[in-house]
Amino acid sequence: RKIQNIKEFFNFEKIDDKFNWKNLRIGVVDGSNSRNMSERLGVRYGVYAACYQIYEGDKLIEENFFGDYISQNQIDDPELASKVLSFKRFLLEREVALSCLKDKDLDYLVIDGSFFGYRGDIRPYLEEEEVQINEEFFKVGEIIEDLTKKTLELLRTNKALGIIKRSRLSVIDGWLTYKFKSEEYCLNMNDKYILSFLMPPKSIFTYSSLLEKPYSYYHFSKFRKLFRKYYGKEDIKSILNRAEKEIKEIVDILKCPLEEFLSTDRYFVRCSNLSYPFELEVPKSMFIKPILVYFLNFYNEATGLPFLLDLVDESITLPSGFLREFVEEIEAHLVKEALPKEDIFLAFSYINPQKLED
C-alpha cells in the first residue's frame, strides 16, 4: 500500500517497438578475475580476463578472449594485491571495449556494470607508495588514473552504455525524504525493488523525469545515506549540500571532470511483468530508442536481463580450479627448465597444506 501511495509521482514511458532491431550491430564486453589469490610459500598469484562478443540482431558473429596475471611477493599486503587485480581487470575491460568501438563498426557497446563502478573504496589505496607487482614498482593511483582516462574515452564515444545487475541505489527514498522533509514516505527498499511493483511491462523509467536540476541520482542516493546521521543537527538543504560536497570529493579523487562524472542518466527497463526491471546507465546525449527495442526482443525472462549480457557472463566467468591449474602450469614449466626441484617445491608449496585452493 505504501508503494502505491507514491505511484502518482512516477512517469513510465512505453517502449516504442516499431524499429528493425535485427539490423543493429552490438558489442558486449565483460571481465572476470580469480576470487582469491593463490597463496604459496614463495609467491602470490591472481588471474584476470576479459571477453567481447559481437551480435548482429540476435546472432553471435564474433568473440574473443584476453587474459593476464599478477604476481606478488608473499610478504607484501594480500588485500592490496586483490585490489590491484580488480583494477587491472577493469582496465582490461575498458581497453577491449575501446578497441571494439574503434575496429568493429558497432551501433552500441554494452559493458557489465556502471562506468565508474570501481570508485567505491579507492581512497585507502591512493595513499600507498610504490607497490611491487609482476616484479615492477608502480603506484596504485597510476592504475586508477589510467582507468578513469579510458572510462572517459568510452563515455565520449556516445555509443557505450552500462547494465547494472546488482542495483543498490536508493534515489527514490532520498527524493521522498527531501520532498516531504521526513522519512514518513520512505520504503527502506532499493529502487529496483520499488519499481518492480510500479513499472508496467515494456516500459522505461528514468531518474531525470523525477529529479529537478541541477541534482542527479548520485546526489539523492548519497543524501538518503546522510539523512539519518545529520537529521536534527542540520536542515534538509544543508544535508543535500553535504551530499553534493562528498560527491565532488570522490570526483576529485578520480581526477575526473565533475560535469563528465554527472553526464550520464540511469534508466530502469522492464521487458516483462514476469521479470524484474534492470538498470541502465547511458550518456545523456545518447539516442537509446533502437537499443531499447533490441532489449525488448532479446532478453532472458528468467533473469530479466538482455540475453547478450547473460551469454557473455557465462563465457567469461573463470571456473573453479582455474587459478590452481594456472599456477601448476607455471610450476611445471620451471621443472622443465631444470631448476633445483627442492627450491621449486618450497616456493610453490601451499601455505596451508591441509586444503587445496579453489
Side-chain angles (χ1 to χ4, degrees), residues 39-41 345 348-357:
E39 297 279 354
R40 307 298 175 109
L41 282 177
F345 174 78
F348 284 85
S349 293
Y350 292 108
I351 285 184
N352 181 357
Q354 294 177 320
K355 293 183 180 180
L356 287 177
E357 295 172 337

Side-chain angles (χ1 to χ4, degrees), residues 33 36-37 70 77-87:
N33 56 263
N36 303 302
M37 302 291 288
I70 69 168
D77 182 0
E79 287 188 16
L80 180 59
S82 294
K83 203 63 195 176
V84 169
L85 181 67
S86 177
F87 290 145

Side-chain angles (χ1 to χ4, degrees), residues 115-276:
F115 286 99
F116 296 100
Y118 57 90
R119 72 186 185 279
D121 52 358
I122 64 173
R123 194 190 302 261
Y125 302 99
L126 295 174
E127 298 171 1
E128 294 284 343
E129 296 184 0
E130 288 191 331
V131 296
Q132 185 178 12
I133 301 290
N134 295 0
E135 299 183 354
E136 294 182 5
F137 288 90
F138 59 86
K139 293 183 178 180
V140 179
E142 293 171 356
I143 303 179
I144 296 169
E145 194 170 336
D146 197 16
L147 184 49
T148 297
K149 179 182 176 182
K150 287 184 168 58
T151 298
L152 289 171
E153 285 180 40
L154 200 58
L155 264 174
R156 290 165 188 160
T157 66
N158 213 38
K159 287 188 174 184
L161 58 151
I163 294 178
I164 299 95
K165 292 182 289 192
R166 299 171 186 85
S167 177
R168 295 185 176 88
L169 288 179
S170 187
V171 178
I172 294 172
D173 263 6
W175 180 79
L176 289 169
T177 303
Y178 185 77
K179 180 178 178 64
F180 294 103
K181 298 181 174 56
S182 79
E183 294 181 295
E184 180 184 352
Y185 283 83
C186 282
L187 304 167
N188 294 313
M189 303 171 185
N190 68 40
D191 295 346
K192 182 174 181 176
Y193 190 54
I194 294 170
L195 291 169
S196 297
F197 289 95
L198 297 175
M199 287 184 72
K202 300 183 179 181
S203 71
I204 59 171
F205 166 77
T206 174
Y207 287 122
S208 61
S209 67
L210 182 70
L211 308 178
E212 296 180 5
K213 294 181 179 179
Y215 299 110
S216 74
Y217 55 90
Y218 282 119
H219 294 104
F220 283 99
S221 189
K222 177 67 72 174
F223 170 82
R224 178 70 183 110
K225 294 176 182 177
L226 295 174
F227 180 79
R228 287 184 177 176
K229 184 176 180 180
Y230 292 103
Y231 183 62
K233 303 174 186 176
E234 299 180 11
D235 60 40
I236 291 285
K237 183 66 176 176
S238 295
I239 299 172
L240 185 59
N241 289 341
R242 185 180 287 276
E244 189 174 14
K245 182 181 177 182
E246 288 196 12
I247 289 166
K248 191 174 184 310
E249 287 174 359
I250 293 170
V251 171
D252 289 341
I253 290 170
L254 289 173
K255 296 185 178 178
C256 171
L258 180 62
E259 63 274 12
E260 291 198 85
F261 184 79
L262 300 176
S263 68
T264 64
D265 202 355
R266 296 278 179 106
Y267 288 77
F268 281 86
V269 183
R270 190 170 202 173
C271 298
S272 162
N273 60 356
L274 299 177
S275 55
Y276 287 102

